[in-house]
Amino acid sequence: MKIIICGANGQLGSECRALSSEFKEYSFVFTDIEELNICDQQAVRAFLNMQKADVVINCAAFTAVDKAEREIEKAYQLNKDAARILAEECKANHSYLIHLSTDYVFDGNGQRPYLETDPTEPTSVYGKSKLAGEQEVIAAGGNAMIVRTSWLYSSFGNNFVKTMLRLARERGEVRVVNDQFGSPTYARDLAYALLSIAPKAKENIGVELYHYSNTGITNWCDFAKAIFELAEIPCTVYPVSTEEFPTPTRRPKYSVMDTHKFATHFQYEVPAWKDSLGHCIKLLK
């Protein structure tokens, strides 16, 4: 089975590349902007026609949440238009598309883990552009799965875990919000899950929507404390409210997602967030 990874230099794409040697039954093609501009439909068409991939995993996205509030056109170009192009060209080539989305499609006013069937109401440009991408994948009418994930981190790229470790070493103290709740997700776990279930996913007809995050619930403040505990780095953590720590983006107060559908359909055991964080910290150390 041939798998194309788009956005191969990002956190998730890099994890797919790192894990590729464990999936010897697949052949991989890794692409990023240098090899393929997924916002250029003609280029995508020519590339997919040449490669004839069984599965395309779209890890590419405009994920700079605050920057998206200023660069609206760029956010929609990568999160919406590129999703449409990939979905249309995958359909034309009979390739199965796995498209990544986000917990930011919800408004964050929920009080129980969000189901795939719950209404979406994004409050940020990032969330709105990612929801628009989901809608484009559905409208294209091909065979695909949309996987929403949350609070992604990795030993690759820039993320909360690496930022906290850097600030701890530089300052010895941090201020972190304690009233936004979610589920941290280790990108390596997500990458392994997607590569593991790809053959079964390819059997799906139409578009299926799934949630995948590591299990368990925390807030950013307690997440930071866990990072320092596991890394054995002394750092004082001061809890603050969202109001005390204003950002250009209104972030969801509660964006925990129910992963039961993914776990049940693919008979897949999703790891707990703190266990996975420990694995990542060991790599970083």
Side-chain angles (χ1 to χ4, degrees):
M1 191 165 81
K2 180 185 275 191
I3 299 179
I4 293 175
I5 307 291
C6 300
N9 295 338
Q11 289 189 86
L12 184 59
S14 294
E15 294 288 10
C16 288
R17 193 195 299 269
L19 288 167
S20 60
S21 61
E22 297 186 29
F23 291 86
K24 299 187 189 304
E25 67 272 30
Y26 305 157
S27 64
F28 288 92
V29 178
F30 295 97
T31 75
D32 213 292
I33 186 66
E34 295 81 6
E35 296 84 18
L36 176 65
N37 178 4
I38 59 172
C39 297
D40 181 338
Q41 186 146 9
Q42 296 300 324
V44 172
R45 181 173 300 158
F47 191 85
L48 292 186
N49 281 343
M50 177 179 67
Q51 293 293 343
K52 299 296 182 189
D54 298 285
V55 176
V56 175
I57 303 179
N58 181 26
C59 304
F62 191 108
T63 57
V65 176
D66 290 335
K67 199 175 178 183
E69 298 294 320
R70 303 189 304 273
E71 300 184 11
I72 298 173
E73 187 176 341
K74 285 185 180 178
Y76 272 87
Q77 187 178 39
L78 194 52
N79 293 343
K80 173 180 179 284
D81 298 343
R84 173 187 58 77
I85 290 167
L86 284 170
E88 289 178 353
E89 298 307 322
C90 280
K91 180 186 178 184
N93 271 278
H94 306 289
S95 298
Y96 189 83
L97 175 64
I98 299 177
H99 177 71
L100 276 298
S101 191
T102 175
D103 56 328
Y104 275 56
V105 299
F106 298 111
D107 62 10
N109 294 327
Q111 296 183 344
R112 54 133 178 96
Y114 284 100
L115 299 169
E116 289 84 353
T117 51
D118 283 332
T120 50
E121 194 66 43
T123 60
S124 64
V125 170
Y126 171 64
K128 290 173 183 175
S129 65
K130 291 297 289 180
L131 178 60
E134 291 185 12
Q135 293 165 342
E136 292 288 0
V137 171
I138 293 167
N143 297 326
M145 66 185 286
I146 298 166
V147 182
R148 293 174 181 150
T149 191
S150 63
W151 295 26
L152 208 63
Y153 68 90
S154 167
S155 58
F156 298 101
N158 299 314
N159 53 69
F160 183 78
V161 173
K162 292 171 81 173
T163 298
M164 287 298 105
L165 292 172
R166 176 177 58 79
L167 292 176
R169 294 186 178 102
E170 290 175 0
R171 302 178 187 173
E173 61 179 44
V174 292
R175 298 166 68 245
V176 188
V177 294
N178 67 346
D179 56 359
Q180 295 173 18
F181 293 84
S183 302
T185 305
Y186 185 21
R188 179 159 297 199
D189 287 349
L190 175 56
Y192 194 89
L194 296 178
L195 296 177
S196 297
I197 59 90
K200 187 173 181 181
K202 194 174 177 292
E203 297 170 7
N204 288 343
I205 303 298
V207 180
E208 285 288 338
L209 179 61
Y210 296 94
H211 290 166
Y212 183 99
S213 59
N214 285 129
T215 59
I217 303 170
T218 191
N219 59 57
W220 290 109
C221 184
D222 289 342
F223 186 19
K225 289 177 181 177
I227 292 166
F228 303 137
E229 175 193 331
L230 290 165
E232 299 178 321
I233 295 176
C235 186
T236 304
V237 182
Y238 295 103
V240 296
S241 67
T242 298
E243 286 68 31
E244 293 175 273
F245 200 86
T247 61
T249 306
R250 184 189 158 200
R251 286 163 163 78
K253 284 289 188 80
Y254 181 96
S255 62
V256 180
M257 297 187 298
D258 189 311
T259 60
H260 182 75
K261 180 181 175 183
F262 186 97
T264 302
H265 181 79
F266 295 110
Q267 298 180 328
Y268 194 89
E269 186 173 348
V270 181
W273 74 264
K274 199 165 184 180
D275 292 340
S276 295
L277 176 61
H279 295 313
C280 184
I281 294 290
K282 281 181 184 176
L283 269 181
L284 289 169
K285 287 178 75 175

